[in-house]
Amino acid sequence: MTETTVPMPRYEEIRRINVTLRRPGVAPGYLFMSPQSILEPAAPHGPQIADDQGRVVWFRPVPEGQYATNVRVQEYQGNPVLTWWQGEATRTGAGTGTCYIADASYRVIAEFRMGGGMPVDLHELLLTERGTALVVGYHPKPHDLTPIGGRADGTILDSVIEEIDVATGEVLLHWSGAEHIPLNESDLPIQLAGDGPWDHLHVNGIGVDDDENLVVTARSSQAVYKLDRRTGEVLWKLGSGASTFVLGVGARLNWPHDAQPVGGGVHRVFDNGANIGMEGYESRVVWLRADTGTGVATHVKEITHPEHLSSSVEGNAEGLPNGNTLVGWGRAGRISEFSPGGELLFDATTPEGPGWTTYRVFRQEWHGRPATPPEAVVDGELVRAVWNGATGVVRWRLLAGPAEESLQEAEVVDWDGFDTAIKLPGALGAGLVKVEALDAAGRTIDASPAVPVGR
């Protein structure tokens, strides 16, 4: 596999979240995200792991003009892995890129696209127990749009879903939204397409239900669809003007993202409540029960932010093992965690600057150990203890001395991100320094080579 090597930015240049609230009861684990701004393409971008203080545990820079999404821990071939999408994005919300899978040492062990080498869209990358990946692609196709007031020689952005065998690249399912969902079910006005392609579905989320069939979120039709995983047949529609279900009070969806089945016919949805140009309507996370027996969709519960956030694009919600719910508020620029009773336990803002958001955010446990040892980088009056991606490091020990065999402890400091600054001791003479990574019990996890102070 070929990977593009991108120079690592200085730690201070990496855009980080700002944590404003952390109360007892927050679930364990790191935050997995990809802060990004299409308005600042030259700024460092890439997948990122951070702790609850916003300190960066791991960062992987991508080439200028590229972005990353869907950074999270999944399982592949029986092992926990890190996955993300990487590629180019447009202002219309589409992406063209590649999916990556990395092991616990951050070595990329698989990368793939859609069938025929077609690029993958940024919106979904879901690994399954079958060793497959569920992904989305937005494919421009000529289409007669006169039935909905468009041009006869129009173009549609077809939301395509594929299930791909990661090991072999075989396409096991190819589903075309244009073939299965009539054009007139879209709620996106054709006039908004202008001279460009019309995005009639804008699929932005896939989940696997407890019967192994697929649950798909489509923003432009304001609906959730259930698909037969084998045939692609639409089994039901929740929301939209063509809903299979009668919608109970509070069950209507407005420009949603990320519907995920949680069992018993209940689905958790990030309901934006707003679209571009409609900012101000409150976003929520809502749980809806789709009862195929009664034909009614009912509101189970919902979460809103105390500040009544409105997110016109992006967003997701994750159910955590302790019953909490983590919410990425998309364009609203917030990351929050709520207790099972709806109490706000954690809150953070995305990086300052024009357009900075993170499409999704996840909280998960992860044990990463880079394949290379730590580095001691002498930087003026500082030594930087650098170990990108190492988890479990609580403190750094700085050793100094005139020769490697006579190095002695000079300082111990708390870990402060994968690049932790330590002040050089005053009287070293002409010497060497090295750093040791310590765990919570003070044991050495690994150590850097000794390097000359150079002063």
Side-chain angles (χ1 to χ4, degrees), residues 152-218:
D153 61 346
T155 303
I156 189 172
L157 266 187
D158 187 12
S159 288
V160 173
I161 295 171
E162 287 188 348
E163 182 166 11
I164 301 166
D165 186 299
V166 175
T168 66
E170 180 184 1
V171 177
L172 305 178
L173 170 69
H174 178 95
W175 184 87
S176 162
E179 294 175 4
H180 287 86
I181 309 297
L183 298 185
N184 61 9
E185 290 190 20
S186 179
D187 291 324
L188 186 70
I190 186 67
Q191 293 78 13
L192 293 181
D195 295 329
W198 182 55
D199 190 0
H200 111 287
L201 278 185
H202 195 87
V203 166
N204 57 32
I206 306 173
V208 179
D209 210 342
D210 45 19
D211 61 3
E212 295 299 313
N213 288 316
L214 305 182
V215 174
V216 174
T217 321

Side-chain angles (χ1 to χ4, degrees), residues 372-411:
T372 55
E375 294 179 83
V377 179
V378 178
D379 183 9
E381 298 298 316
L382 301 173
V383 175
R384 293 182 175 272
V386 181
W387 206 13
N388 188 17
T391 61
V393 181
V394 175
R395 295 178 185 84
W396 284 103
R397 176 188 289 130
L398 173 66
L399 303 174
E404 189 162 0
E405 61 272 13
S406 58
L407 294 177
Q408 296 182 348
E409 181 179 303
E411 187 69 82

Side-chain angles (χ1 to χ4, degrees), residues 327-349:
V327 185
W329 294 99
R331 181 165 286 184
R334 298 290 275 277
I335 298 167
S336 309
E337 185 174 330
F338 298 86
S339 73
E343 179 189 1
L344 182 63
L345 301 177
F346 178 89
D347 213 21
T349 61

